[in-house]
Amino acid sequence: MSHYIPPTHEHDIDPVDGRMALVQGQPTFHEITEAVAKPIDSPPKAWWIFFLVSVSMLGLFGLSVAYLLWEGVGIWGNNIPVGWGWPIVNFVFWVGIGHAGTLISAVLFLFRQKWRTSINRASEAMTIFAVICALMFPTIHVGRVWVIYWPLPLPNQMQMWPNFRSPLLWDVFAVSTYFTVSLLFWYVGLIPDIATMRDRAKTAIRRFAYGVFALGWRGSARHWVNYEAAYLLLAAMATPLVLSVHSIVSFDFAVSQLPGWHTTIFPPYFVAGAIFSGFGMVLTLMIPLRKWFHLEHIIGIKHLENMAKVILLTGTLVGYAYGMEFFIAWYSGNPYETFVFANRALGDYAWAYWIMVSCNVITPQFIWFKKIRRSPAALFILSIFVNIGMWFERFVIVATSLHHDFLPSSWAYFSPTMWDWATMLGSFGLFFTLFCLFVRFLPIIAVAEVKAVMPQANPHYHPPGHEDPDLTSSASGTVQSRDDHAAVKTAVTSGEESSKVVVSKASEPDDEDEDEDDEDEPDTKDEPIVADEPEPEAKAAPEPEPEAKAEDAKQEAAADDDDDAADEPEDKPLFSKDPADKPLFSKDPADKPLFSPPSAKKDDKADDGDDEGKED
Amino acid sequence: MPQIFPRWTNNIPIAAGLLAPIIGIGLIFAVWYWFSPKYTDVGYRPKQPVPYSHKLHAGDMGIDCRYCHNTVEQAAHAAIPPTATCMNCHKQVKTTSARLQMVRDSYDTGEPIPWVRVHQLPDYAFFNHSAHVAAGVGCASCHGRVDKMVVVEMDQPLSMGWCLDCHRNPEPNLRPLDQVTNMNWDVTKEEYDPKRDPERKRQVNPPTHCSGCHR
Amino acid sequence: MPKRPKMYGLLAEYETPAALYKACERVRDAGYGAWDAHTPFPVHGLEKAMGIGPSLVPWIVCVLGFSGAALGFGLQYWTSVIEYPLIISGKPFNSYPAFVPVTFELGILLGSFGAVFGMFGLNRLPTLYHSLFNSKRFARFSDDRFFISIEARDPKYDPDKTRKLLESTGAVAVEEVED
């Protein structure tokens, strides 16, 4: 869409193809609000089904934890030599899942990856819920849940302090800090959107509930300054944090002196695996969600594709780590290390090992194919395999390293009990219940952030129609240069219309030279600008500049309008939405249906009312 | 949009900001104080099946602790005396007292008297009476003035921190080895330096590492 | 505010970020102090158009972040070296390399508290009641409209002149807001 790209913002070009707009179909700000808020007002049926299934699984979790407290850890399959059975497998699995959210929020924020805005809210929520699930497992694994506060450095009658030299204690600090910071990050991002929900709430209860959590947010520019500083700093702090957390989780293993665990590659290997599994889970959640909640235009194919690429990268890193472990086992000449790895691939748990390798190393390789990584259905299936594979990775690490220890007489084969299964399935119930509640009551898209990356959010982005000298002069060099560059007309039009028109105008260069350049060399650096603007153009092109505007406009503006009209036939093939022209500009066939129907739109365009019909 | 909240609600954040640290610190203090054995355990005084008075026996009549708790010098455990120990005297003394009926029944049937245990350490804490007696820690240091108790109660918290206080600095609680069971020997008043006591073959060096007590 | 005047001030509504941006420059140049803009999302560069200085949040984060790290290391040093020196795995009491993770995590934790609660403090949030919420029109600030509010307590405030100024900036509506 209309992505008007001022020259100073060249780096904002989309990382994937540098052309497609982040939000498709040129919605207005209001339409974004409505698209996100609608499922909250009336959830789809699928939600109820999903919620009931999740809650019953949560019940299973409650049951198994209650029985665990009653009976003790003996109900699980953990026993010497495999003292860390499924609880720790599940812990590491969930912590890994919990990494994508902050990665998307913080790391991509720092790298100015604007596509994050569509998915960051839901993946942050996923992070928080996954970390809650993760924290459950060590908590119930200690056996005496009621003294779980002991790892905290609180003054106590024992005059004891935690052992700060233990990686398990680092874990307590790392995971709880991670949880707290993720929660704060998530909540800070939510405040403006909760205010949006508050302001459109119909019932008193909703107004009160959203009102409390919106903290009286009133979008003040003075507040935004502090808000953005805080958000940036949170991102800056969460980035090293997210890397530290899974490194520390890997220290739980790597710092012990057990062949198969005692490896320096563990921290990066775990971090890559965590991002891999986290993005896998994000895809698993987002692909159905965008469909059920009709958010395909906000969470576009491009977003899925970008995530798929991250999965490909991290999956390959994980595959490299698998290979390197074997190399080191051989190269070290350490017989114990060699044995553990031979045992891993060929021993009792070979089945688990090969499930892990096929899911984690082979599955992502399909993403090399563009068709696959742009197909939501294919990605959904791949993401399920990623989830399975990463669970097995944790299982392989825990079980194969422990079940054959140094004393052959104590060798054993770990197998889970019914309660292991119940607790694991139950943790999925906890996760999905929380997630269901989240999508039911909170905006799953960061509304304010999505609006901010839309082209019309740029204060130097002006509707076509007439030039406003005041504006041009006042708005510093940026405007000037932009005008030079893209030959944008500025005009103050009114209402949503303006945003529409704006777009068109920006692209609709009155300077014929520019246009011609584009036409001649569609692949030059200018292309993004042109390519971004097909729809708007399509809309704008047929639009006769409204009389009212023309009146307001200065003389030159009027002249420009005339020019535009004159240019129209030329421009049309360039920007038109007509199917025939498509190949030229439309990069993404999949997105096509999302665009507003071209011809009807065009006609509407002239009227003010055109916006209403368009998105929904 | 109408106002959702009345004006006074703007004071809530300030109040919350002021109260939050107080509540937080208060909570930690509450756990530290009310959850500690100093609060929960000291003064624990269960009703015993037989109204045996330590004040009468150990205090007024001056029976030595070791007469009944006879293993205390040799074993980890300070024995609860069997009914036979009671009957050493009560065959002659108060033979018809109704309050001693249970003792006589126990003696006749061989069924032990169900004394209620007052001092109990957790199973994971290893405690040896003989080591402490041999080091010259008086009975009264941990059990209080039992010779003044009609019904025995816990005098000290027996918490880990309390153990550590003494293990880190044992001197103030040491006494001459022949005064261990002397209830009237007050460590706070008597001048005693264990380092100059010729009776002591070696100086006390209590462990403070984990496996000293958690074996 | 020493004494609340009856009127809170004037509220002007704009339809695009561009119009708001331009209007903010005008209001800034007119020399007002107690005024604000209200937008559904952070408008890029608006703080310059309004003449707002840089945020103080980074300083709060800096101070709290480093004190968090210091606190973290201090806690570990005090507990492991002073309060309960205990030999664990034959390591020295002050095994500072092992103290790095917790030091780091506490630095991040307090830094984040600084960022979030510092932001709340500077923004005086939560402010559940605010005079601007008296305006019906204002509810759209969180959706798709852009507002400028000029408070009556501003010394330059004059109901008529200020209204004229706002109207001349292309506001689609200007209204008085009760306190």
Side-chain angles (χ1 to χ4, degrees):
Chain A
M1 105 181 224
S2 75
H3 219 119
Y4 157 63
I5 300 163
T8 44
H9 291 182
E10 292 288 1
H11 59 276
D12 289 341
I13 287 171
D14 184 279
V16 176
D17 54 14
R19 294 165 191 93
M20 292 311 300
L22 292 167
V23 182
Q24 292 152 12
Q26 286 178 273
T28 60
F29 293 139
H30 180 66
E31 283 163 352
I32 293 281
T33 310
E34 290 304 311
V36 176
K38 188 170 277 172
I40 298 177
D41 295 338
S42 49
K45 257 200 203 94
W47 184 86
W48 281 107
I49 299 168
F50 224 86
F51 183 66
L52 289 177
V53 172
S54 306
V55 167
S56 40
M57 278 163 73
L58 175 63
L60 187 64
F61 186 71
L63 192 74
S64 48
V65 170
Y67 185 60
L68 173 85
L69 296 186
W70 178 257
E71 194 67 25
V73 182
I75 64 167
W76 288 332
N78 314 357
N79 211 334
I80 304 297
V82 185
W84 273 9
W86 276 29
I88 300 304
V89 173
N90 291 326
F91 163 68
V92 184
F93 172 74
W94 280 119
V95 170
I97 298 284
H99 270 59
T102 309
L103 190 95
I104 290 172
S105 312
V107 181
L108 298 186
F109 181 78
L110 294 184
F111 284 117
R112 302 284 188 268
Q113 298 294 300
K114 290 186 168 181
W115 58 276
R116 74 182 262 288
T117 54
S118 299
I119 50 170
N120 73 331
R121 171 69 40 72
S123 31
E124 282 164 38
M126 181 200 80
T127 287
I128 289 162
F129 305 147
V131 174
I132 289 175
C133 291
L135 284 170
M136 284 288 165
F137 281 99
T139 306
I140 57 178
H141 188 209
V142 298
R144 295 183 175 87
V145 183
W146 47 95
V147 292
I148 191 61
Y149 65 91
W150 279 7
L152 301 177
L154 296 170
N156 61 76
Q157 52 83 16
M158 294 179 284
Q159 297 183 5
M160 283 295 293
W161 297 96
N163 174 16
F164 288 106
R165 299 169 187 87
S166 162
L168 297 180
L169 189 75
W170 304 344
D171 231 11
V172 171
F173 278 82
V175 180
S176 53
T177 299
Y178 183 60
F179 176 73
T180 313
V181 173
S182 303
L183 191 68
L184 289 174
F185 200 36
W186 185 58
Y187 179 61
V188 167
L190 266 169
I191 292 172
D193 293 352
I194 296 180
T196 303
M197 296 306 299
R198 171 198 64 194
D199 294 345
R200 66 190 300 294
K202 303 276 185 313
T203 67
I205 295 174
R206 284 188 169 224
R207 263 214 304 278
F208 179 82
Y210 288 127
V212 167
F213 287 104
L215 306 179
W217 180 259
R218 51 186 191 277
S220 154
R222 293 170 198 276
H223 289 185
W224 280 118
V225 171
N226 293 325
Y227 177 94
E228 286 192 283
Y231 199 80
L232 175 68
L233 285 163
L234 276 178
M237 287 185 289
T239 301
L241 177 67
V242 74
L243 299 181
S244 83
V245 172
H246 224 64
S247 298
I248 290 175
V249 170
S250 81
F251 289 163
D252 291 348
F253 299 94
V255 172
S256 70
Q257 294 173 351
L258 191 73
W261 286 3
H262 193 61
T263 320
T264 47
I265 203 175
F266 257 38
Y269 159 37
F270 266 52
V271 170
I275 297 167
F276 180 61
S277 66
F279 271 89
M281 188 59 96
V282 174
L283 280 182
T284 309
L285 294 172
M286 296 305 259
I287 290 173
L289 202 63
R290 69 195 276 277
K291 188 157 175 59
W292 288 335
F293 285 12
H294 306 294
L295 295 169
E296 284 107 330
H297 61 302
I298 299 180
I299 307 170
I301 293 289
K302 173 169 46 190
H303 297 94
L304 303 182
E305 188 181 2
N306 285 0
M307 288 191 274
K309 286 177 177 175
V310 176
I311 288 183
L312 173 59
L313 171 71
T314 49
T316 311
L317 282 174
V318 168
Y320 170 79
Y322 293 160
M324 196 44 68
E325 282 187 316
F326 274 82
F327 172 75
I328 293 295
W330 165 74
Y331 189 67
S332 67
N334 179 334
Y336 301 101
E337 191 81 8
T338 317
F339 168 77
V340 163
F341 281 93
N343 181 49
R344 208 172 257 192
L346 307 168
D348 292 344
Y349 287 106
W351 58 273
Y353 181 78
W354 293 108
I355 290 177
M356 167 188 99
V357 169
S358 41
C359 287
N360 288 353
V361 185
I362 299 171
T363 306
Q365 304 309 322
F366 286 105
I367 295 172
W368 287 110
F369 300 103
K370 188 158 186 156
K371 270 228 174 81
I372 291 181
R373 69 170 183 261
R374 295 184 70 88
S375 149
L379 282 182
F380 182 74
I381 296 167
L382 289 185
S383 74
I384 299 283
F385 278 108
V386 168
N387 292 330
I388 296 174
M390 284 313 289
W391 189 90
F392 270 98
E393 179 190 305
R394 277 72 208 240
F395 177 75
V396 164
I397 290 171
V398 170
T400 64
S401 305
L402 284 172
H403 85 293
H404 281 186
D405 64 1
F406 296 101
L407 196 63
S409 66
S410 65
W411 287 4
Y413 186 84
F414 169 84
S415 36
T417 64
M418 169 186 126
W419 293 104
D420 278 311
W421 280 102
T423 318
M424 187 188 72
L425 289 176
S427 71
F428 278 89
L430 174 63
F431 177 76
F432 284 114
T433 305
L434 290 170
F435 200 81
C436 281
L437 291 174
F438 159 68
V439 302
R440 178 76 180 78
F441 292 109
L442 291 172
I444 57 173
I445 305 276
V447 181
E449 290 189 53
V450 167
K451 284 176 187 167
V453 300
M454 286 163 65
Q456 63 263 43
N458 191 318
H460 305 308
Y461 186 81
H462 296 298
H466 72 281
E467 193 161 307
D468 186 337
D470 190 312
L471 194 85
T472 322
S473 58
S474 65
S476 73
T478 316
V479 167
Q480 216 68 329
S481 59
R482 190 203 69 228
D483 277 352
D484 294 345
H485 190 84
V488 168
K489 290 293 156 185
T490 62
V492 178
T493 57
S494 56
E496 284 104 26
E497 176 193 350
S498 69
S499 53
K500 273 322 140 60
V501 177
V502 166
V503 178
S504 60
K505 199 40 178 204
S507 62
E508 188 174 273
D510 26 334
D511 301 2
E512 284 135 52
D513 328 291
E514 290 270 338
D515 277 347
E516 275 158 23
D517 285 351
D518 292 339
E519 247 178 87
D520 295 340
E521 313 161 15
D523 292 322
T524 58
K525 65 182 166 67
D526 290 327
E527 193 196 17
I529 295 175
V530 177
D532 281 338
E533 293 149 5
E535 311 80 71
E537 204 41 52
K539 276 168 192 156
E543 166 198 21
E545 287 296 335
E547 305 307 335
K549 277 184 237 155
E551 279 165 22
D552 290 346
K554 312 252 145 83
Q555 291 299 341
E556 335 158 25
D560 290 334
D561 288 341
D562 292 343
D563 287 351
D564 289 342
D567 290 346
E568 218 176 300
E570 270 178 47
D571 290 347
K572 196 141 191 188
L574 251 186
F575 303 107
S576 143
K577 301 216 55 175
D578 289 345
D581 297 326
K582 202 100 203 173
L584 242 190
F585 300 103
S586 165
K587 294 288 175 308
D588 183 7
D591 294 330
K592 210 153 121 192
L594 297 172
F595 294 140
S596 38
S599 55
K601 245 11 58 89
K602 283 182 203 167
D603 295 333
D604 291 344
K605 189 58 210 195
D607 326 331
D608 286 347
D610 71 293
D611 299 310
E612 304 317 317
K614 113 168 313 179
E615 248 335 291
D616 310 325
Chain B
M1 156 173 102
Q3 293 284 359
I4 304 171
F5 302 95
R7 201 188 284 266
W8 60 264
T9 53
N10 283 351
N11 297 324
I12 293 177
I14 301 162
L18 291 175
L19 280 178
I22 298 173
I23 292 173
I25 293 169
L27 211 66
I28 292 175
F29 176 83
V31 172
W32 175 77
Y33 184 80
W34 279 293
F35 285 25
S36 134
K38 210 174 198 162
Y39 179 83
T40 58
D41 289 13
V42 172
Y44 172 60
R45 187 195 300 174
K47 191 175 179 298
Q48 299 293 351
V50 178
Y52 174 83
S53 166
H54 276 81
K55 180 176 184 300
L56 176 66
H57 293 79
D60 300 349
M61 293 191 288
I63 303 176
D64 192 271
C65 306
R66 289 164 294 184
Y67 179 77
C68 301
H69 306 289
N70 57 347
T71 64
V72 73
E73 283 175 316
Q74 290 84 36
H77 191 74
I80 301 292
T83 311
T85 307
C86 308
M87 294 305 279
N88 285 348
C89 301
H90 285 289
K91 267 187 176 163
Q92 274 82 39
V93 186
K94 300 233 177 206
T95 49
T96 53
S97 165
R99 307 210 302 186
L100 290 173
Q101 187 58 43
M102 186 181 259
V103 180
R104 288 191 296 271
D105 291 350
S106 165
Y107 188 67
D108 295 341
T109 59
E111 195 70 22
I113 301 168
W115 297 110
V116 181
R117 188 163 182 178
V118 180
H119 299 86
Q120 183 156 26
L121 292 177
D123 290 351
Y124 50 76
F126 177 84
F127 177 81
N128 191 320
H129 271 94
S130 68
H132 289 81
V133 170
V137 180
C139 303
S141 293
C142 305
H143 296 287
R145 292 300 297 267
V146 177
D147 61 324
K148 293 182 174 167
M149 296 177 191
V150 176
V151 179
V152 172
E153 63 177 58
M154 270 180 78
D155 183 65
Q156 298 290 327
L158 305 194
S159 67
M160 178 171 160
W162 172 84
C163 293
L164 276 170
D165 283 342
C166 183
H167 273 232
R168 284 174 179 152
N169 182 23
E171 267 83 23
N173 290 308
L174 296 181
R175 54 178 77 197
L177 297 179
D178 53 359
Q179 299 296 330
V180 168
T181 59
N182 182 355
M183 289 286 158
N184 292 315
W185 203 93
D186 191 341
V187 283
T188 55
K189 289 195 189 120
E190 307 277 348
E191 291 279 327
Y192 174 65
D193 184 355
K195 291 207 177 84
R196 297 216 199 107
D197 183 354
E199 296 290 306
R200 288 182 177 271
K201 308 251 160 37
R202 59 193 176 94
Q203 288 303 315
V204 171
N205 186 21
T208 54
H209 54 83
C210 311
S211 52
C213 309
H214 306 291
R215 303 191 165 184
Chain C
M1 283 197 230
K3 185 170 163 279
R4 285 177 180 278
K6 202 177 172 300
M7 279 297 158
Y8 174 77
L10 282 168
L11 182 70
E13 177 176 339
Y14 302 85
E15 289 183 319
T16 63
L20 176 83
Y21 189 95
K22 192 182 69 170
C24 281
E25 287 177 330
R26 294 273 305 279
V27 177
R28 173 197 66 192
D29 294 341
Y32 284 94
W35 67 289
D36 211 339
H38 305 270
T39 57
F41 52 83
V43 173
H44 188 71
L46 194 65
E47 68 276 6
K48 284 206 184 76
M50 291 179 63
I52 307 174
S55 171
L56 288 177
V57 168
W59 291 105
I60 300 175
V61 172
C62 179
V63 170
L64 272 177
F66 282 107
S67 22
L71 188 79
F73 191 84
L75 171 76
Q76 296 176 85
Y77 186 88
W78 181 74
T79 57
S80 322
V81 180
I82 298 166
E83 165 69 2
Y84 195 166
L86 193 57
I87 296 173
I88 294 168
S89 310
K91 290 174 189 132
F93 294 139
N94 179 18
S95 23
Y96 56 89
F99 296 165
V100 169
V102 173
T103 304
F104 172 79
E105 301 296 340
L106 282 181
I108 295 283
L109 184 68
L110 258 74
S112 313
F113 284 153
V116 176
F117 296 108
M119 184 264 282
F120 285 173
L122 292 173
N123 289 351
R124 302 272 186 281
L125 290 176
T127 308
L128 295 180
Y129 175 94
H130 196 274
S131 304
L132 283 175
F133 294 144
N134 288 329
S135 161
K136 249 199 153 106
R137 202 180 278 286
F138 186 66
R140 282 184 79 179
F141 90 86
S142 62
D143 184 7
D144 59 350
R145 286 303 159 104
F146 304 82
F147 293 88
I148 289 181
S149 64
I150 301 183
E151 292 177 40
R153 68 189 168 95
D154 191 293
K156 292 205 69 171
Y157 181 86
D158 177 284
D160 301 322
K161 273 190 205 154
T162 307
R163 176 183 282 273
K164 258 195 202 115
L165 170 73
L166 287 172
E167 274 164 358
S168 73
T169 57
V172 291
V174 179
E175 68 174 26
E176 263 193 320
V177 181
E178 281 179 29
D179 191 34

